[in-house]
Amino acid sequence: MSKNRRRRSYGRHTSVRNVPLRTHWLLLTTLVLTLSAALLLEGYTQHLFDERPDGAPRGQASGASVPAAISSGGPVIEGAAGRTATPAPRTIALTFDDGPDPVWTPKILDVLRRNDVQATFFTVGTRVAENPDLARRIVDEGHQIGLHSFTHTDLGTASAWRRSLELRETQLVIAGATGVTTPLLRPPYSSTNKALGDADWNAVVQAGQEGYLTVLTTLDSQDWRRPGVEAIVAAATPSDSAGHIVLLHDAGGDRTQTIAALEQLVPRLKASGWKFASVGDAVSLPAPMQNAGTADRWQGLALITAIGTSSRLLDLLTWLLWAAGAISLFRAVAVFVAARRHVRMRRRPWGAPVTEPVSVIVPAYNESAGIEAAVRSLLASDHPVEVIVVDDGSTDGTADIVEALRLPGVRVIRQQNAGKPAALNTGIAAASCNLLVMVDGDTVFEPDAVRMIVQPFAHRRVGAVSGNAKVVNRGGLLGRWQHIEYVVGFNLDRRLFDLAECMPTVPGAVGAFRREALLRVGGVSDTTLAEDTDLTMALCRDGWRVVYEERAKAWTEAPASLGALWKQRYRWCYGTLQAMWKHRGALAQRGQAGKLGRRGLVYLLMFQVLLPLLAPVVDVFAVYGLVFLDPLRIVGLWTAFLLLQVLMGLYAFRLDGERPGPLWSLPLQQFVYRQLMYLVVIQSVFTAVAGSRLRWQRMERYGSLQVPVTPSQPLAEAPAEPLAGAPATPRAEPLYGYAAPPAPAPASSPAPPAAEPWAPDPWADPAAPYGGHATDPSWGPHPAAPGPQNHIWPSQQGHPGP
């Protein structure tokens, strides 16, 4: 590892401050945990709800452990003591299971009120939480309320912990909704005492130990079958004078027959001398319902609120996910269509070839690891250049290294550390050419990159050109993932931005500018951490076109560790947010500025801010779906999304002339890299909202770039020994390990003939170039620019990088 790797900030240290962001992470963690808890609660209450009818077939279970006194005893059982109770003779306790239901429970209550009958409602906890007013009405009208579990689960087959949870949560929601507690319990899928199996008896015993009385039935009305009103009445009519507990339902489906049967059953039995009572009164229980304690009531209210909130949250998330999916699909289609159109447009010339010399500005702060490779690659250009290296107060001998090279056409300007924008402005002021190329000190240009990147300046409206930055250190998963992001994400987006005339960023690694345009906007501003984005947006607002030239390729070092990547992307994202806020006025402007505002800024807001903010929601929801929904469906959706990304990746790699090998790591990228990038956006937004400011986080340099060797720069020109503090780069080998490119054509060489002039097409023509309006017929892209074509460089051989 080179000792020149530094962690010093690149900028004015006194103008910014670094604020601890632990509060942001605490808030984010709290939000994610709250969301996870809400979805867990919703999943448990809704997707673990047992919706089988009460009469659903059950396997024949052994009842060997059930005491004979229980099997032959009364329907009200105290499980812990093994005692039973039976309703008084000629007394009927009407019981209703599965409610409360917002449709059927009120109608049943109305029938009971008209007939002056008290009944017992065994309620499901989740339905009490959904309809607390109905539960309160049941109690207020003098009826008794009981438990029917929280999710209508079969307590006999449930584990002991789940039985306790089901009963406790149901008791709490009843307390929160009605202000009372009750010991009455009817296990779902229970019937008579004789039907108890060993597992059912264990559940009855456990319930008794926890203070509950199990209430079974003696008469099943069979209303869950909907056999007809007369059949229900007949099944609910006693055949003897003993007391009975009758099973009916006020939820679980259409209860029209139940209501009609009640209208006949109650008057008929009253006329026959039968008395109607609640379960507690029928077996003479002393005060079966008690006022709930303050703690239970508040816990119940909190649980009801949580269940309602989680339900509404899930509905909201469902809509947001559908919207996000639709927007993402729309983006994929739009990017694909734009890329295809962009390719067709690039086959047409910009105009006469641009051959005038170019000033290349290299701002450098502690760039000793790669500055020699960067400068030599610029001098190897097949276009006339002057190279201006602005040393911004480096402490590692960067300027000394460049001066010791004694290369013609290279100037070094030293200044005190003032920040990258100041270094760029110094270079602009010192430049002698009208066309300027700005390049980072860790970037190596291909021989034709300068020539390619300045060709769009043949059109007078072009103020800046974005080149094609490519990752050189793409070994390992992190390098591959960044390589994929550069090719698939950045470059496809740039084609779309170019087409829509709203390019928001010319990257600092490879960008070209018209000097006039830079002077009109006041040079490079230092008010944001993304000076390249800020400058590009300023040029667009000033009326200049910013375009993308994918053939102008430069190789740059990407972060080689997650920590370094985090720092870089954090600065990028935060600086982009600063620039978006600074140039928000473009939303209301017209012309080129309006295109930036209403196209570029809206695109950035939707796809680089809002969607990443929803990303943790998507991931949590995916886990939710795997646990509570259909896992095959969730996996299928994820696979379809991944397939779409792979297809986009294959197309993008083909456009960039890259081998598709790295795309095998795309599935893994979804589980690590994507989440990291989303967290960067989230923390950047939190930082911006909190009003904190960041200092420039300079990326570590690794010395991945090698010094190119060309006939125009023989080895004899370089010092025999590396300078102190400079990386030991192998000068006997050519750049990237390939044969050195031939000498560039001299500046005085005559330019090859220009391509055929381009015939203008209207904007509606799919083959029309950007801005190819009838009022601007000269606008258009250019063909392959002339010049030496026999250089052996990584991009020309499909080389994936060192």
Side-chain angles (χ1 to χ4, degrees):
M1 188 68 67
S2 169
K3 68 179 182 180
N4 297 304
R5 291 170 56 179
R6 307 291 185 184
R7 290 182 171 86
R8 294 270 314 270
S9 64
Y10 194 160
R12 290 184 227 170
H13 309 301
T14 59
S15 62
V16 294
R17 58 192 177 91
N18 217 1
V19 178
L21 298 173
R22 295 186 184 90
T23 303
H24 299 165
W25 285 116
L26 178 62
L27 177 60
L28 177 61
T29 302
T30 302
L31 291 175
V32 172
L33 290 177
T34 301
L35 174 63
S36 301
L39 291 178
L40 181 63
L41 180 60
E42 179 69 9
Y44 183 83
T45 58
Q46 299 301 319
H47 299 290
L48 294 184
F49 193 97
D50 195 338
E51 296 181 340
R52 293 177 298 161
D54 281 353
R58 303 177 71 195
Q60 188 66 31
S62 170
S65 65
V66 182
I70 300 298
S71 298
S72 60
V76 180
I77 305 173
E78 186 181 2
R83 298 182 297 179
T84 66
T86 303
R90 299 191 68 80
T91 301
I92 288 181
L94 297 178
T95 62
F96 297 88
D97 288 5
D98 297 348
D101 183 274
V103 175
W104 306 111
T105 302
K107 295 179 179 180
I108 290 174
L109 288 172
D110 292 341
V111 173
L112 297 176
R113 185 177 64 247
R114 287 195 299 268
N115 290 275
D116 192 25
V117 170
Q118 304 302 309
T120 304
F121 289 80
F122 289 97
T123 56
V124 178
T126 56
R127 288 178 173 159
V128 172
E130 294 168 357
N131 307 283
D133 293 341
L134 281 178
R136 191 175 304 114
R137 178 182 171 184
I138 289 172
V139 175
D140 290 345
E141 293 187 2
H143 305 286
Q144 287 181 354
I145 194 168
L147 284 67
H148 199 48
S149 81
F150 195 66
T151 59
H152 200 263
T153 190
D154 188 342
L155 297 179
T157 60
S159 60
W161 70 266
R162 187 173 179 189
R163 293 170 186 165
S164 296
L165 178 66
E166 290 275 329
L167 300 183
R168 175 58 178 167
E169 299 308 299
T170 308
Q171 188 75 273
L172 284 178
V173 294
I174 290 176
T178 66
V180 301
T181 58
T182 175
L184 303 179
L185 163 68
R186 169 162 296 157
Y189 309 108
S190 62
S191 57
T192 64
N193 295 50
K194 293 181 179 180
L196 284 175
D198 293 338
D200 301 323
W201 174 241
N202 288 336
V204 171
V205 171
Q206 181 179 344
Q209 293 170 346
E210 296 180 11
Y212 296 99
L213 297 175
T214 300
V215 181
L216 303 181
T217 61
T218 58
L219 291 176
D220 185 355
S221 69
Q222 300 286 310
D223 66 336
W224 54 273
R225 294 183 183 273
R226 301 184 187 89
V229 174
E230 291 299 330
I232 294 175
V233 172
T237 301
S239 59
D240 54 24
S241 61
H244 288 279
I245 295 178
V246 180
L247 172 62
L248 295 152
H249 295 82
D250 63 330
D254 188 342
R255 297 303 171 205
T256 303
Q257 293 182 8
T258 302
I259 295 171
L262 280 175
E263 295 279 14
Q264 298 181 25
L265 178 67
V266 174
R268 185 180 301 177
L269 291 179
K270 276 189 173 183
S272 300
W274 286 86
K275 175 185 176 183
F276 289 89
S278 64
V279 169
D281 293 338
V283 298
S284 301
L285 290 177
M289 293 193 303
Q290 301 288 333
N291 290 330
T294 302
D296 285 347
R297 186 162 188 179
W298 280 107
Q299 288 181 58
L301 289 172
L303 182 56
I304 292 172
T305 302
I307 292 173
T309 301
S310 64
S311 179
R312 290 188 291 271
L313 180 62
L314 184 63
D315 292 339
L316 175 62
L317 290 182
T318 301
W319 283 105
L320 288 177
L321 289 174
W322 278 109
I327 293 173
S328 298
L329 182 60
F330 171 78
R331 174 184 178 272
V333 173
V335 168
F336 176 75
V337 172
R340 287 180 60 85
R341 188 171 181 180
H342 192 270
V343 170
R344 291 196 297 269
M345 291 178 179
R346 278 294 177 260
R347 298 182 184 137
R348 304 186 178 185
W350 293 100
V354 176
T355 59
E356 63 179 281
V358 174
S359 295
V360 183
I361 302 171
V362 186
Y365 177 80
N366 288 353
E367 298 284 1
S368 61
I371 191 64
E372 181 179 355
V375 172
R376 287 188 178 274
S377 74
L378 294 171
L379 290 181
S381 298
D382 58 13
H383 192 92
V385 298
E386 70 164 351
V387 179
I388 303 172
V389 178
V390 182
D391 183 89
D392 190 46
S394 296
T395 58
D396 66 345
T398 296
D400 296 333
I401 292 174
V402 178
E403 289 176 341
L405 296 175
R406 300 188 300 276
L407 297 174
V410 178
R411 282 191 287 162
V412 177
I413 300 176
R414 298 173 184 259
Q415 66 177 33
Q416 293 185 348
N417 181 248
K420 184 177 181 180
L424 289 171
N425 288 328
T426 298
I428 294 171
S432 60
C433 302
N434 292 323
L435 300 181
L436 310 178
V437 171
M438 297 181 185
V439 54
D440 288 340
D442 63 336
T443 304
V444 167
F445 271 37
E446 293 202 358
D448 61 351
V450 173
R451 172 168 52 82
M452 290 291 188
I453 203 170
V454 298
Q455 296 309 310
F457 291 117
H459 194 281
R460 65 183 182 279
R461 283 178 54 202
V462 175
V465 182
S466 167
N468 186 350
K470 305 181 77 64
V471 175
V472 66
N473 54 329
R474 56 182 76 168
L477 277 178
L478 189 60
R480 289 189 182 94
W481 290 340
Q482 292 179 84
H483 172 45
I484 293 173
E485 183 183 29
Y486 271 65
V487 175
V488 180
F490 299 162
N491 289 348
L492 282 184
D493 277 348
R494 287 192 182 105
R495 295 175 189 271
L496 177 63
F497 290 139
D498 195 352
L499 185 71
E501 300 186 33
C502 59
M503 184 79 67
T505 304
V506 171
V510 51
F513 301 86
R514 196 184 295 271
R515 183 188 184 90
E516 173 192 357
L518 292 175
L519 295 179
R520 276 175 45 173
V521 299
V524 184
S525 172
D526 63 354
T527 57
T528 73
L529 290 183
E531 80 293 331
D532 47 5
T533 300
D534 185 10
L535 175 61
T536 308
M537 291 183 178
L539 292 172
C540 289
R541 295 188 68 184
D542 194 46
W544 295 98
R545 273 296 313 277
V546 181
V547 300
Y548 173 53
E549 176 48 76
E550 71 274 13
R551 291 174 297 181
K553 297 176 182 178
W555 300 79
T556 187
E557 277 190 331
S561 66
L562 287 177
L565 178 65
W566 176 273
K567 291 179 181 179
Q568 182 199 62
R569 299 308 173 86
Y570 190 13
R571 177 177 62 81
W572 283 7
C573 185
Y574 183 82
T576 299
L577 291 175
Q578 288 179 309
M580 291 171 63
W581 181 254
K582 177 180 178 179
H583 296 284
R584 64 191 183 279
L587 291 166
Q589 291 182 290
R590 297 182 178 180
Q592 194 64 47
K595 294 175 183 178
L596 169 71
R598 290 181 290 278
R599 298 176 186 176
L601 295 186
V602 170
Y603 185 94
L604 292 177
L605 179 65
M606 289 179 59
F607 295 108
Q608 296 190 20
V609 179
L610 296 182
L611 280 183
L613 290 177
L614 290 175
V617 175
V618 175
D619 294 335
V620 171
F621 192 83
V623 176
Y624 170 85
L626 290 173
V627 175
F628 295 109
L629 302 179
D630 183 2
L632 293 178
R633 182 182 178 187
I634 299 300
V635 172
L637 290 174
W638 184 84
T639 303
F641 174 74
L642 179 62
L643 179 61
L644 178 63
Q645 289 187 308
V646 169
L647 293 176
M648 293 297 296
L650 289 171
Y651 184 63
F653 270 58
R654 178 186 174 190
L655 291 181
D656 258 30
E658 295 281 354
R659 292 178 180 174
L663 291 176
W664 70 264
S665 65
L666 197 57
L668 297 176
Q669 189 185 44
Q670 307 304 307
F671 295 105
V672 180
Y673 191 82
R674 185 170 62 94
Q675 281 75 9
L676 180 66
M677 294 300 99
Y678 290 158
L679 291 175
V680 166
V681 175
I682 291 171
Q683 183 162 344
S684 299
V685 171
F686 281 163
T687 305
V689 171
S692 304
R693 296 200 61 193
L694 303 179
R695 69 174 56 188
W696 186 290
Q697 297 291 338
R698 181 183 178 275
M699 197 189 83
E700 299 177 7
R701 304 307 186 201
Y702 309 98
S704 304
L705 302 171
Q706 297 183 11
V707 181
V709 179
T710 69
S712 59
Q713 288 93 33
L715 291 176
E717 294 181 350
E721 298 293 336
L723 296 175
T729 52
R731 296 178 184 167
E733 299 179 3
L735 184 61
Y736 308 117
Y738 283 86
S748 59
S749 299
E756 288 185 22
W758 171 71
D761 292 317
W763 174 258
D765 183 351
Y770 321 114
H773 305 280
T775 56
D776 191 11
S778 62
W779 179 261
H782 62 282
Q789 299 299 317
N790 58 345
H791 297 342
I792 304 176
W793 288 76
S795 64
Q796 296 170 347
Q797 294 195 356
H799 181 54

